[in-house]
Amino acid sequence: MIIDSLTNGEHYFTLNPLFSKAFNYLNSVNLESLEVGRIELQADDLYVIVSDSSLKKQEKAKLEVHNGYIDIQIPLSKPEVFGWSARQQLNKEVAPFDKSKDIQFFNDLPISYHTVTPGCFIIFFPGDAHAPCIGEGMIRKIIVKVRNLKK
């Protein structure tokens, strides 16, 4: 997991060949003016999801993991809290991994919580279990799905 300012995205280009394209895009557009929906940057390898999501109480947020994608999540309208745990520490799976949706949920509790503010991002790798959308009310946010090239 990484938390940083969007202006520092270039520091992470070496972690995945698609990160440069992702951060260059994020820093070249007015993020607040993007409409809800999917924006393809490189077909299914790299795309942006703009969403209006309902935030939930900490105890209602489930940890999730992905195999095929790395998430770069960016709150736009207000701060967002994320729960985090190391994936290898999880043992209370809700259901087996859903390969078609690239997701698996767990009932384990996060070991830490992190608040990310607008103008910043959080990156979750396949080894990071994360519980997004913790807070109150609605949030407009961006999720960049980056193909995990190190499977």
Side-chain angles (χ1 to χ4, degrees), residues 6-20:
L6 277 171
T7 58
N8 291 329
E10 73 276 0
H11 297 301
Y12 308 101
F13 286 4
T14 59
L15 298 178
N16 183 296
L18 298 169
F19 276 15
S20 62

Side-chain angles (χ1 to χ4, degrees), residues 16 19 68-72 123-126 144-148:
N16 183 296
F19 276 15
Y69 287 92
I70 298 164
D71 279 1
I72 303 172
I123 300 175
F124 296 110
F125 297 92
V144 181
K145 300 298 278 187
V146 182
R147 175 83 61 197
N148 177 23

Side-chain angles (χ1 to χ4, degrees), residues 1-6 12 19 23 26 70-75 80-84 112-117 119-125 128-133 141-144 146:
M1 177 189 70
I2 296 169
I3 300 174
D4 203 344
S5 169
L6 277 171
Y12 308 101
F19 276 15
F23 281 106
L26 293 168
I70 298 164
D71 279 1
I72 303 172
Q73 299 203 25
I74 304 147
E80 179 179 359
V81 176
F82 295 86
W84 178 89
S112 62
Y113 291 88
H114 306 275
T115 301
V116 181
T117 56
C120 294
F121 65 86
I122 189 165
I123 300 175
F124 296 110
F125 297 92
D128 297 313
H130 55 285
C133 293
K141 65 184 288 182
I142 290 175
I143 303 168
V144 181
V146 182

Side-chain angles (χ1 to χ4, degrees), residues 15-126:
L15 298 178
N16 183 296
L18 298 169
F19 276 15
S20 62
K21 191 168 191 175
F23 281 106
N24 286 335
Y25 173 79
L26 293 168
N27 286 306
S28 71
V29 298
N30 178 350
L31 299 177
E32 288 79 20
S33 70
L34 296 176
E35 294 191 23
V36 171
R38 178 175 163 147
I39 302 162
E40 290 190 9
L41 301 180
Q42 191 170 310
D44 284 337
D45 288 339
L46 179 64
Y47 58 94
V48 174
I49 301 168
V50 181
S51 71
D52 289 331
S53 300
S54 297
L55 298 175
K56 53 192 159 267
K57 293 184 181 207
Q58 186 172 300
E59 58 272 10
K60 297 282 186 186
K62 295 243 184 267
L63 286 165
E64 62 185 64
V65 296
H66 310 290
N67 291 339
Y69 287 92
I70 298 164
D71 279 1
I72 303 172
Q73 299 203 25
I74 304 147
L76 295 177
S77 60
K78 65 196 305 184
E80 179 179 359
V81 176
F82 295 86
W84 178 89
S85 287
R87 183 177 187 161
Q88 70 266 21
Q89 295 174 328
L90 303 178
N91 55 34
K92 297 178 183 175
E93 67 180 37
V94 172
F97 191 88
D98 185 334
K99 191 172 179 179
S100 67
K101 294 181 181 177
D102 189 44
I103 198 163
Q104 184 177 21
F105 293 98
F106 291 83
N107 282 325
D108 299 76
L109 294 176
I111 62 167
S112 62
Y113 291 88
H114 306 275
T115 301
V116 181
T117 56
C120 294
F121 65 86
I122 189 165
I123 300 175
F124 296 110
F125 297 92

